[in-house]
Amino acid sequence: MTMTDLSPAASVWLAKLAGALAGAAISFAWLLPRGPREAALRFLASVTAGLVFGSTAGLAVAARLGIAYLLSPQETVLMGASLASLSIWWAIGFAVRFGEKLSGTRGGRDEG
């Protein structure tokens, strides 16, 4: 099966899923979680954000950069899903670290 065998809607969803997973995978390399619970939370939130906000984020970025006319719908959602996935990963990481600083704990129950 090739991408041309898929319906347009299916190829957009596939691109959105690929972008969300790519954003989460890249995030693992840049900002490692402190334990398995944090890793699972951030991974699931990252993929979910990529799937939910991939289209909107892709359209916003493409319009902001002035390249919307150059991109296919699949490329737009791939870019947006990756960006949304990457962004939420960092936001959750920041929130966890900030919460730890406020509460005076480090790592919580995830320490291994």
Side-chain angles (χ1 to χ4, degrees):
M1 181 187 321
T2 64
M3 284 293 279
T4 57
D5 294 336
L6 295 175
S7 71
S11 65
V12 167
W13 273 101
L14 186 60
K16 197 182 289 191
L17 179 61
L21 292 173
I26 292 167
S27 299
F28 262 115
W30 278 341
L31 184 62
L32 290 174
R34 289 204 174 127
R37 182 173 177 264
E38 183 182 342
L41 168 74
R42 287 168 63 185
F43 179 78
L44 290 174
S46 184
V47 172
T48 301
L51 291 174
V52 172
F53 299 110
S55 299
T56 305
L59 289 171
V61 170
R64 178 82 174 169
L65 296 176
I67 59 171
Y69 67 96
L70 295 172
L71 301 176
S72 70
Q74 292 83 0
E75 291 169 324
T76 302
V77 298
L78 179 70
M79 172 181 60
S82 296
L83 177 65
S85 180
L86 185 69
S87 298
I88 197 70
W89 182 276
W90 282 85
I92 292 173
F94 175 76
V96 166
R97 302 302 189 276
F98 186 70
E100 288 172 354
K101 185 177 261 187
L102 286 179
S103 68
T105 62
R106 181 150 191 216
R109 300 180 299 185
D110 283 351
E111 296 283 322

